[in-house]
Amino acid sequence: MNAVTHATRPAETHAIDDFEVIRVEANLGAEIRGLDLTGPVTDELADLLRSLLWEHQVLFFRNTGIDDAKQAEIGRIFGPPVADSIAKRRGVKDEDIIPFNTGPYSNGYYGTPWHADATYLETPYQVSILRSVIAPELGGDTAFSSGISAYEALPDEVKQKIESLDAIHRPNGKAYRLIDDEKELADYLDEYSGVAHPVVITHPFNGRKVLYVNEGFTKEVVGLPEDESKELLRTLTHQFYRPENIVRFKWQPGSLAIWDNRSVQHYGVADYGQAQRQLVRIVAQGDRPRR
Ligand code: SIN
């Protein structure tokens, strides 16, 4: 942990009188201490959380003491709630809050490959918020990797090559893992048959360039022969495995992570054996990613 910033705000509410922003890695991540999230979600708190998030890409909080309803209220700071695409087809409403049981990982769900949430949608989630309810003693971290530092470290000739390219995103890996029923699978794959997003996007709120392809959902680069597309995607997605771009978060009950799906990808680490791991996830709708 390094670079502690003590921040003092006007004493409009006790919740944001005094807090600390502790940067966790050089390229992304900040732990926020001393900010009470249990109180009213004021405009001032909303502005503060948005500006911290657009700056640090992923925010971590410990011992928040918040419940599902407060987490949902915090989610609305960033946009309207959205249900997962598979759950939605099964009747779950956008506002429903369903605890997300990821353990033991032998149940087949875990782990997740590197991905930003729901990039197979035209308007993928802007922000996701996970809160730990049950955490394994050891293991089950979530890792986050920055598309901003991944982009910045690319050689200039690669930046030039990719600046006007689009890539197709599909949820087929996720669908095969989570849907057993053949008809449901076929209908789902038909409904989410692929959407094109720019390979490099401009972040809508901080104007920074972001490498926007992910191992989980990005399937092909538009207009390139198959081999060339595969090779380029392999090179680009490998940037997200570089330790320089990664921060890793250990969960404890009550911990909260808020991440910006336009600037980071994440990975659920499947190393917790038979332990239970339960999280509550709230996501906020975003706009269409733009170059
Ligand atoms: C996810 O992949 O959306 C969740 C990550 C995790 O469970 O750590």
Side-chain angles (χ1 to χ4, degrees):
M1 302 248 171
N2 53 18
V4 180
T5 310
H6 290 270
T8 305
R9 297 260 151 179
E12 188 178 292
T13 101
H14 73 287
I16 43 179
D17 284 353
D18 195 11
F19 61 94
E20 288 177 332
V21 178
I22 299 160
R23 290 181 57 199
V24 186
E25 296 294 349
N27 283 322
L28 77 165
E31 182 176 333
I32 311 301
R33 292 196 189 151
L35 194 61
D36 179 5
L37 297 180
T38 61
V41 178
T42 59
D43 289 350
E44 194 190 9
L45 179 65
D47 286 347
L48 175 66
L49 288 178
R50 279 190 292 257
S51 72
L52 287 170
L53 186 60
W54 310 147
E55 179 177 354
H56 297 289
Q57 308 173 48
V58 52
L59 305 178
F60 305 119
F61 301 81
R62 297 281 180 199
N63 303 312
T64 54
I66 65 168
D67 59 12
D68 293 0
K70 183 56 71 178
Q71 185 178 342
E73 207 184 329
I74 293 169
R76 285 177 192 275
I77 291 174
F78 302 99
V82 206
D84 171 76
S85 52
I86 295 176
K88 208 162 170 159
R89 293 176 57 88
R90 295 174 177 169
V92 171
K93 302 272 177 303
D94 284 334
E95 336 39 71
D96 292 345
I97 300 170
I98 298 178
F100 172 47
N101 264 309
T102 68
Y105 74 72
S106 53
N107 68 8
Y109 180 67
Y110 261 62
T112 60
W114 283 107
H115 64 289
D117 279 329
T119 61
Y120 50 84
L121 302 178
E122 284 192 1
T123 55
Y125 316 154
Q126 174 73 45
V127 168
S128 299
I129 306 183
L130 274 186
R131 181 178 108 251
S132 170
V133 180
I134 303 171
E137 278 286 294
L138 206 55
D141 299 352
T142 304
F144 299 88
S145 187
S146 171
I148 293 177
S149 50
Y151 174 78
E152 285 169 358
L154 289 172
D156 284 346
E157 66 272 17
V158 177
K159 285 184 182 157
Q160 266 163 27
K161 175 176 173 155
I162 63 178
E163 72 186 353
S164 55
L165 293 177
D166 291 321
I168 304 293
H169 297 236
R170 288 191 201 98
N172 46 1
K174 163 179 163 160
Y176 282 107
R177 212 168 55 240
L178 298 179
I179 305 176
D180 292 332
D181 181 81
E182 259 179 50
K183 167 135 186 14
E184 187 186 0
L185 179 63
D187 289 349
Y188 181 80
L189 293 178
D190 194 42
E191 183 171 353
Y192 297 97
S193 59
V195 58
H197 294 303
V199 168
V200 179
I201 62 167
T202 302
H203 192 281
F205 304 117
N206 62 25
R208 298 182 76 182
K209 296 243 187 234
V210 187
L211 183 58
Y212 196 68
V213 291
N214 67 78
E215 182 187 60
F217 302 129
T218 315
K219 303 300 174 187
E220 69 206 57
V221 180
V222 178
L224 293 189
E226 195 180 332
D227 284 2
E228 211 184 310
S229 162
K230 273 200 177 125
E231 182 54 28
L232 180 60
L233 286 180
R234 200 187 63 80
T235 305
L236 297 178
T237 52
H238 274 63
Q239 302 309 309
F240 292 91
Y241 312 157
R242 298 179 69 219
E244 289 82 350
N245 298 326
I246 294 176
V247 63
R248 186 165 166 155
F249 187 55
K250 273 190 190 318
W251 295 102
Q252 295 159 341
S255 304
L256 187 83
I258 305 180
W259 70 88
D260 172 6
N261 281 299
R262 290 297 180 275
S263 57
V264 299
Q265 303 183 8
H266 58 284
Y267 180 104
V269 182
D271 59 353
Y272 51 97
Q274 297 304 305
Q276 292 297 324
R277 180 177 185 266
Q278 191 186 87
L279 299 143
V280 172
R281 185 174 85 152
I282 296 287
V283 297
Q285 176 77 54
D287 287 335
R288 198 161 185 155
R290 296 195 190 282
R291 219 180 297 286

